[in-house]
Amino acid sequence: MRLVILAAGLVALTGCGGGDDAQTKAADDARDIAMVEKAQNMRPPAERLVPEIITESDLEEKDILGGLCAVQHPSGIHYLAIARPDDAWIKLDGELVRLGPDKGSPEQPYGTWTKYDGKEYSLRMQLTANEGEMEPGAGSGEILVRDSFDREVFRLSTQIECKER
């Protein structure tokens, strides 16, 4: 009889311990899930970038013609970004990157737009002189490049030239 009571007691204790194990496992699983979700939602550090000079041969290679607005390099000789009605271009790591227009953004001269979007970056080009009413020619402005997390990775106040090419 003592053996039966002892066995029943062990079974009861094992059952209680099993509940603790289930609770511990559930807590561990919840913690692991939270860690995975946190890791998935982490953003990589923002990487500052500097658009490279767009050369005349780059323009010819991509057949970039027509009316455009171009962000001048501080030297005043070359461009850092080109905007047209249907696309914009910046040069990163030796490659021209094409961006599509956000036609909901304010329009600028020659049918260009204030904002252009791409897979990894977006470009905002804002004329600060005459707020979009600039006649063809040059005026002051600003370029802003944002990464895919909408973080600013480049900003420059410089001259923007709008002309027929």
Side-chain angles (χ1 to χ4, degrees):
M1 179 80 172
R2 285 185 180 171
L3 190 56
V4 171
I5 293 173
L6 184 60
L10 285 174
V11 169
L13 287 175
T14 306
C16 290
D20 288 342
D21 287 343
Q23 289 175 340
T24 302
K25 181 175 179 349
D28 288 346
D29 288 348
R31 186 191 71 240
D32 292 344
I33 289 169
M35 288 174 55
V36 168
E37 287 175 347
K38 182 180 178 183
Q40 288 175 336
N41 292 328
M42 286 182 60
R43 296 179 178 186
E47 293 183 27
R48 294 282 174 216
L49 64 90
V50 177
E52 297 168 20
I53 292 171
I54 298 173
T55 65
E56 192 64 33
S57 63
D58 292 328
L59 298 175
E60 290 171 7
E61 175 185 324
K62 296 294 183 182
D63 199 25
I64 299 174
L65 302 169
L68 55 81
C69 288
V71 176
Q72 291 184 349
H73 183 272
S75 69
I77 299 172
H78 301 285
Y79 300 128
L80 290 178
I82 305 280
R84 303 185 308 169
D86 295 325
D87 56 20
W89 298 87
I90 56 175
K91 190 173 183 180
L92 303 171
D93 297 324
E95 297 293 324
L96 282 173
V97 176
R98 186 177 186 195
L99 307 155
D102 178 346
K103 293 188 177 182
S105 66
E107 193 171 344
Q108 300 191 106
Y110 287 109
T112 62
W113 304 94
T114 304
K115 184 178 178 202
Y116 293 82
D117 294 309
K119 291 178 183 177
E120 296 181 42
Y121 299 101
S122 68
L123 168 73
R124 290 172 179 84
M125 185 182 331
Q126 182 65 49
L127 300 168
T128 55
N130 302 324
E131 284 301 315
E133 296 176 12
M134 186 174 92
E135 294 298 320
S140 62
E142 182 177 72
I143 178 178
L144 172 65
V145 179
R146 293 184 173 271
D147 67 11
S148 59
F149 295 102
D150 203 32
R151 299 176 297 195
E152 182 178 310
V153 292
F154 180 78
R155 179 186 295 260
L156 177 68
S157 294
T158 187
Q159 292 293 303
I160 296 179
E161 182 179 33
C162 295
K163 65 179 184 176
E164 194 71 31
R165 182 180 181 294

